[in-house]
């Protein structure tokens, strides 16, 4: 007996989680300590306790990574293991630096004072991811709690990819392929890191799922609520990402509306509603951030150019920023051309999405554009995680290339079992010669399915 698609979805998610046991620690970045101390503080720990537990996790991870690197170093593997020394030195340094700031009175906010108060303010306005961590670190402890949270966030992202593709009419095979791609491409590895990017990617996929439901002709109330809710939650995780996503989606729906008007087709209530929601979200994000006195783009710019405020503020930050921007993109493109797998996969995924589901393809490319905007706002060649949203294009688009023959253009209002293959107009036309005329009249025209037409879903 063949397994149901739901069983395969759970199997892939469970398999991914089991594979992550190979690396329980060693995924952290310098920002992980800030999110972790925030979560411990929200869980009831005082500032000193939150700092102590965060330092213990950070230094244990660095010590273990040093031991792993030493074991395979062809020149030094015979020498004593440096891991314990790295861990002890790390612990001494952070206890001294954090203790010095605490003694100086830097005790405001939820995060431990690993850096200056001005820098820590950037993380104070991002409570979403720390709130997600609270139940995990409370139940499983710091190490296993962060690992379990990463597995759940990454697994959820893969499941959401499956749901998006099924909503678009893909058969279970291509949809499961999209889920697997999410796990094996950098999206899965990034989601596993104790950082906010995994949560941001999952919420972006929720918004894409809502858009897919609306564009495929489902009742708009709940899908639109999903889009609005994901943007609201993104504001708590990282308000700049909420602004980028709302703005990019608004631009996508504006493009769809203009195209339909120019071709004499109705825009459709669904597109109007989504355009209204995304524009309102973009404006609301800007106004609410100003009202709450969140760090501005000027603060972000100084943070970038002063090495997290270790150096004095730059007198002409915008001039230096544009110079850095002009240097960054040619170098980034040069590196991509040396190993062009990323560019090839993105191009193929964009072609698949735009060819077989044009309206949603525009939305997908727009959502992926938030990754480009994030990198443009922080052009640091050493940070690759900011581009993670662009990987959603091959994750969702490549299965559509493979599944182009099984994408269902029929209106999805008729219910069917989850695992049943969608029925195409071509199949309906071959049922019987007596029903040929009726089936032909019910089948949507090809241009309405493959273009931006408003009279048929998508």
């Amino acid at each position: 007996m063949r397994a149901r698609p739901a069983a395969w979805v759970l199997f892939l998610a469970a398999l991914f989680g089991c594979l992550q046991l190979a690396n329980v620690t060693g995924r952290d970045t310098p920002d992980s300590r800030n999110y972790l101390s925030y979560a411990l503080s929200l869980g009831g720990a005082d500032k000193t306790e939150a700092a102590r537990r965060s330092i213990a996790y950070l230094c244990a991870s660095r010590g273990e990574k040093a031991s792993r690197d030493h074991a395979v170093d062809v020149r030094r593997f015979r020498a004593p293991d440096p891991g314990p020394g790295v861990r002890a030195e790390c612990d001494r340094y952070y206890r001294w630096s954090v203790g010095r700031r605490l003694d100086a009175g830097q005790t405001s906010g939820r995060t431990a004072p690993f850096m200056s108060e001005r820098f820590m303010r950037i993380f104070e306005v991002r409570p979403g991811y720390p709130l997600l961590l609270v139940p995990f670190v409370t139940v499983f402890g710091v190490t296993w709690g962060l690992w379990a949270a990463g597995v759940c966030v990454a697994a959820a992202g893969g499941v959401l990819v499956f749901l998006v593709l099924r909503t678009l009419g893909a058969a279970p095979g291509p949809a499961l392929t999209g889920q697997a791609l999410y796990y094996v491409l950098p999206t899965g590895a990034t989601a596993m890191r104790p950082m906010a990017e995994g949560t941001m990617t999952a919420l972006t996929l929720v918004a894409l799922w809502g858009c897919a439901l609306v564009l495929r002709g489902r009742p708009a109330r709940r899908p639109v609520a999903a889009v609005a809710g994901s943007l609201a939650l993104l504001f708590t995780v990282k308000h700049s990402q909420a602004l980028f996503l709302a703005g990019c989606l608004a631009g996508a729906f504006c493009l769809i509306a203009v195209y339909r008007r120019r071709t004499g087709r109705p825009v459709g209530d669904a597109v109007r509603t989504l355009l209204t929601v995304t524009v309102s979200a973009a404006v609301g994000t800007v106004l609410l951030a100003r009202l709450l006195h969140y760090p501005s783009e000027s603060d972000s710019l100084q943070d970038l150019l002063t090495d997290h405020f270790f150096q004095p503020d730059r007198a002409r930050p915008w001039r230096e920023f544009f110079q850095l921007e002009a240097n960054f993109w040619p170098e980034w493109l040069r590196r991509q051309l040396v190993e062009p797998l990323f560019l090839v996969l993105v191009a193929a995924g964009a072609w698949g999405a735009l060819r077989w589901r044009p309206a949603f393809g525009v939305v997908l490319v727009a959502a992926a554009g938030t990754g480009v905007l994030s990198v443009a706002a922080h052009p640091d060649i050493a940070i690759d995680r900011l581009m993670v949203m662009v990987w959603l294009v091959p994750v969702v688009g490549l299965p559509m290339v493979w599944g182009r023959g099984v994408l269902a253009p029929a209106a999805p209002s008729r219910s069917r079992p989850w695992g049943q293959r969608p029925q195409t107009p071509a199949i309906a036309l071959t049922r019987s010669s007596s029903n040929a005329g009726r089936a032909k009249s019910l089948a949507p025209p090809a241009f309405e399915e493959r273009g931006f037409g408003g009279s048929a879903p998508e």
Side-chain angles (χ1 to χ4, degrees):
M1 181 181 295
R2 295 177 62 185
R4 292 179 177 271
W8 284 109
V9 169
L10 295 177
F11 171 76
L12 286 178
L15 177 62
F16 173 79
C18 291
L19 294 177
Q20 302 314 303
L21 288 170
N23 200 17
V24 177
T25 60
R27 303 176 189 268
D28 58 284
T29 69
D31 290 348
S32 300
R33 62 195 180 187
N34 304 320
Y35 289 115
L36 176 57
S37 65
Y38 200 151
L40 293 171
S41 179
L42 291 173
D46 59 24
K47 194 64 65 70
T48 302
E49 176 68 11
R52 183 188 67 79
R53 295 178 66 184
S54 300
I55 292 170
Y57 170 79
L58 174 66
C59 295
S61 180
R62 290 187 178 181
E64 185 173 348
K65 188 175 185 301
S67 297
R68 293 174 183 173
D69 294 340
H70 171 265
V72 293
D73 191 325
V74 295
R75 292 178 297 175
R76 300 185 177 88
F77 71 95
R78 300 179 185 87
D81 182 5
V86 170
R87 179 174 181 174
E89 181 63 27
C90 171
D91 187 77
R92 282 194 297 270
Y93 171 75
Y94 279 110
R95 284 180 179 272
W96 168 78
S97 63
V98 173
R100 183 178 56 124
R101 291 189 176 94
L102 288 173
D103 293 340
Q106 188 178 332
T107 57
S108 61
R110 293 282 188 177
T111 56
F114 289 101
M115 301 280 281
S116 68
E117 194 167 3
R118 187 179 178 188
F119 177 75
M120 300 311 299
R121 174 64 179 163
I122 296 175
F123 293 90
E124 291 289 340
V125 301
R126 301 176 184 177
Y129 179 62
L131 280 170
L132 174 67
L133 293 179
V134 169
F136 291 97
V137 298
T138 301
V139 175
F140 301 108
V142 170
T143 300
W144 285 101
L146 288 176
W147 178 87
V151 168
C152 290
V153 169
V159 174
L160 285 165
V161 171
F162 176 87
L163 293 174
V164 169
L165 287 168
R166 290 293 284 151
T167 300
L168 294 172
L176 289 169
T177 301
Q179 181 185 3
L181 285 174
Y182 185 87
Y183 295 148
V184 301
L185 290 178
T187 43
T190 303
M192 277 299 302
R193 302 173 77 175
M195 297 282 293
E197 275 71 20
T199 307
M200 289 160 47
T201 306
L203 290 173
T204 300
L205 285 167
V206 172
L208 288 175
W209 186 24
C211 294
L213 287 168
V214 173
L215 291 173
R216 291 290 289 161
R218 303 294 175 87
R221 184 174 179 180
R222 290 183 179 179
V224 169
V227 175
S230 65
L231 291 172
L233 289 174
L234 265 177
F235 182 87
T236 69
V237 177
K238 192 175 182 181
H239 70 280
S240 61
Q241 176 64 19
L243 175 60
F244 291 159
L245 182 59
C248 287
L249 291 181
F253 290 118
C254 184
L255 178 63
I256 294 171
V258 170
Y259 181 88
R260 289 180 176 179
R261 282 188 177 276
R262 288 176 62 89
T263 54
R265 303 168 189 171
V267 174
D269 293 337
V271 172
R272 289 194 185 94
T273 301
L274 288 173
L275 179 58
T276 302
V277 168
T278 51
V279 169
S280 300
V283 175
T285 297
V286 174
L287 294 179
L288 188 57
R290 292 289 185 266
L291 182 64
L292 297 176
H293 303 290
Y294 277 13
S296 65
E297 61 278 1
S298 177
D299 295 317
S300 177
L301 191 59
Q302 292 290 356
D303 168 55
L304 172 69
L305 298 176
T306 62
D307 191 18
H308 306 310
F309 305 111
F310 274 115
Q311 302 173 12
D313 281 7
R314 313 304 297 177
R316 297 180 177 180
W318 286 106
R319 180 177 180 179
E320 294 183 17
F321 174 76
F322 288 124
Q323 180 182 353
L324 177 62
E325 199 83 39
N327 296 339
F328 174 85
W329 288 109
E331 175 61 18
W332 179 87
L333 182 59
R334 185 193 66 81
R335 297 188 184 194
Q336 296 303 318
L337 292 176
V338 172
E339 298 179 3
L341 179 62
F342 171 72
L343 297 178
V344 170
L345 291 178
V346 171
W351 179 84
L354 292 170
R355 176 68 178 85
W356 302 107
R357 287 289 181 260
F360 180 80
V362 173
V363 174
L364 175 64
V365 172
T370 61
V372 178
L373 290 177
S374 296
V375 174
H378 201 287
D380 188 340
I381 203 70
I383 301 178
D384 57 353
R385 68 176 187 272
L386 299 178
M387 194 68 79
V388 66
M389 296 299 171
V390 184
W391 282 102
L392 292 179
V393 175
V395 165
V396 178
L398 287 179
M400 298 175 72
V401 175
W402 170 38
R404 62 186 181 276
V406 291
L407 292 176
S413 57
R414 302 173 183 176
S415 61
R416 62 171 185 271
W418 189 14
Q420 181 177 327
R421 192 173 196 173
Q423 178 175 301
T424 63
I427 294 175
L429 287 172
T430 59
R431 280 186 171 178
S432 65
S433 59
S434 60
N435 292 331
R438 180 174 178 271
K440 185 176 181 180
S441 65
L442 292 176
F447 77 88
E448 292 178 345
E449 172 59 23
R450 299 258 176 116
F452 294 143
S455 57
E458 174 73 31

